[in-house]
Amino acid sequence: MHADIAILGAGSWGTALAIQCSRAGRPARLWGRDRAHVAAMRRERVNRRYLPDAPFPDSLQLSDDLAAAVQDVDDTLVAVPSHAFRSLLMELRPLLSPAVRLCWATKGFELDTGKLPNEVAHEVLGAGRSVAVLSGPTFAREVGAGLPTAMTIASSEPDYADRLARDLSSPTFRAYTSNDITGVEVGGAVKNVLAIGAGLCDGLGFGANTRIALITRGLVEMVRLGVALGARRETFMGLAGLGDLVLTCTDDHSRNRSFGLALARGRSVDAALADIGQVVEGYPAARALRRVALRQQVTMPIAEGIYGVLYEGMPAEQVVRGMMLRPIKPEFD
C-alpha cells in the first residue's frame, strides 16, 4: 500500500501523529528502530508500550526498515527526541530524494551545539528542501484519543505549511500556520525547562501564586531569547509559545513537570528519570538552554536557577527565594 507520509519515531508523540494522519485520511507509515516493538505493534495494532489506549486505524502501516519507510513518500515527519535528531537526519540524507518534503515535531536545542532543529536540518541536508516544524500544546495520549487539539505548523513556505495543516486537520484536530520557524522552535525548547521549575515549585508547596509568577516571568525569558535569535514577539503569544508553556507547566501528564515534582519529593535525578520511563527533554535542555543564553548574552534567571538545581546541587527552595530578592526593575525591559 502506498503511503504519502512517513512518521519516523514510534514513541508516544510519533505514534499519535501517525494515528492522526491516518484519521485525517492521509495514508501514513510509522517507523520504529526496535524490530521487536514494531512487530508487536503490527500484531496488536496498538503501541502498547507508549500509547496503549489508542488503537491504530486500519490504514496505518508499520515498518522497522528506514529505507522502506521513506520509499515513495511525499513527506517525511521526524518525531524523535532532540538528542537523536541529527543522527537520524544523517541516516536519511542518502535515502531522501530532493523532492521529498521534511517536517519535524522534535523540540529542543541540540545539546552539543545549541542549534535549533531547523539549523541542524539545514546543516545536514543542505538548502533547497521544503521544511516545516510542528509544535504546540499537545499531549500524545489526548491526540491519540481524538480529543480536540490545536497546534502550529511553521514553514518559510506558506503553501507547504498550509498543505500540512489541511492534511493533518480533522473535526478534532486543528492546525494553524506560521512562517516563524525560529519562534516556534524556541517556544518548544524553553517550555520544557520551565515546566521542571513549575514542578519543583509545586512539589515544595509554594502555591499557585508562585506557579503563575514562574510561568509569566518564564514567558518573558522565552520572548527575550527568541527575539535575540531572530523570532517575532507575537509568536510567543500563540499556541507554540504561551499555549505550550501553560500546558506543560500545569498538567501532571507533563513528563517535565512530573520530573520536577519528583525531585521536590527528594528523588534523585536518576531515580526520577527511571520512574518516568520516557525521555524527559527538559533535563538535558536546561544545559543547552544555558549555553545558548550565555552565547546570546540574554538574561534568564529562572532558567539559570533551574540549571543550578539540576546540575549544581543548589536547593530549589533557595533558588526560588533568591529570585524574590532580585533588584526591583520594570516588568518589561
Side-chain angles (χ1 to χ4, degrees):
M1 182 187 295
H2 173 72
D4 66 11
I5 185 167
I7 295 89
L8 308 182
S12 56
W13 189 216
T15 301
L17 286 169
I19 290 171
Q20 177 56 34
C21 286
S22 300
R23 186 184 287 141
R26 185 158 193 201
R29 186 181 295 139
L30 175 63
W31 170 84
R33 194 178 297 278
D34 184 334
R35 290 186 174 182
H37 184 215
V38 172
M41 290 192 294
R42 186 181 290 118
R43 182 175 62 252
E44 299 172 355
R45 299 302 297 173
V46 68
N47 188 339
R48 202 165 299 284
R49 182 184 300 175
Y50 294 119
L51 214 62
D53 298 322
F56 294 163
D58 291 341
S59 62
L60 178 57
Q61 304 171 53
L62 296 150
S63 176
D64 59 18
D65 183 325
L66 186 60
V70 300
Q71 185 175 8
D72 299 325
V73 298
D74 299 320
D75 293 279
T76 297
L77 197 171
V78 177
V80 298
S82 56
H83 66 80
F85 188 66
R86 180 183 290 270
S87 60
L88 181 56
L89 292 188
M90 292 179 70
E91 289 184 73
L92 280 174
R93 184 165 56 189
L95 302 177
L96 295 182
S97 74
V100 175
R101 296 175 291 263
L102 179 77
C103 53
W104 54 86
T106 298
K107 296 179 179 180
F109 295 102
E110 187 173 49
L111 182 58
D112 293 337
T113 67
K115 293 180 178 179
L116 289 165
N118 79 83
E119 297 174 299
V120 176
H122 185 270
E123 186 176 298
V124 174
L125 299 176
R129 187 183 303 275
S130 296
V131 298
V133 57
L134 289 70
S135 191
T138 50
F139 284 141
R141 66 177 189 84
E142 295 188 8
V143 173
L147 299 178
T149 299
M151 72 179 311
T152 300
I153 297 174
S155 175
S156 60
E157 300 177 36
D159 288 347
Y160 182 35
D162 185 70
R163 175 183 165 172
L164 269 178
R166 293 179 185 278
D167 284 348
L168 274 169
S169 293
S170 69
T172 60
F173 193 97
R174 180 172 177 82
Y176 291 83
T177 62
S178 168
N179 61 6
D180 185 7
I181 293 179
T182 297
V184 167
E185 288 193 328
V186 170
V190 176
K191 61 95 182 184
N192 285 330
V193 179
L194 297 174
I196 294 175
L200 285 166
C201 288
D202 283 357
L204 291 168
F206 281 122
N209 289 354
T210 307
R211 184 193 316 122
I212 201 63
L214 181 143
I215 291 171
T216 308
R217 294 307 300 173
L219 179 62
V220 171
E221 294 187 13
M222 180 189 290
V223 174
R224 194 182 287 153
L225 181 64
V227 169
L229 291 170
R232 296 197 306 272
R233 288 181 181 273
E234 60 266 28
T235 299
F236 300 102
M237 300 303 110
L239 292 164
L242 179 62
D244 208 1
L245 176 63
V246 171
L247 177 73
T248 314
C249 285
T250 60
D251 194 290
D252 287 346
H253 287 99
S254 162
R255 299 174 205 163
N256 296 285
R257 173 179 163 79
S258 297
F259 179 60
L261 287 168
L263 295 178
R265 291 195 300 265
R267 300 288 281 170
S268 69
V269 167
D270 290 342
L273 292 173
D275 289 345
I276 292 169
Q278 296 189 53
V279 174
V280 178
E281 288 273 13
Y283 177 56
R287 192 165 54 182
L289 177 57
R290 182 174 186 265
R291 181 178 293 128
V292 174
L294 290 172
R295 186 180 70 205
Q296 297 297 134
Q297 297 184 316
V298 172
T299 303
M300 302 185 72
I302 297 175
E304 179 72 23
I306 295 165
Y307 172 86
V309 173
L310 297 180
Y311 290 100
E312 296 179 340
M314 295 177 63
E317 184 168 354
Q318 177 183 320
V319 169
V320 174
R321 296 198 184 283
M323 290 179 188
M324 300 302 293
L325 297 174
R326 286 174 56 81
I328 301 300
K329 57 180 286 189
E331 182 175 8
F332 301 108
D333 53 4

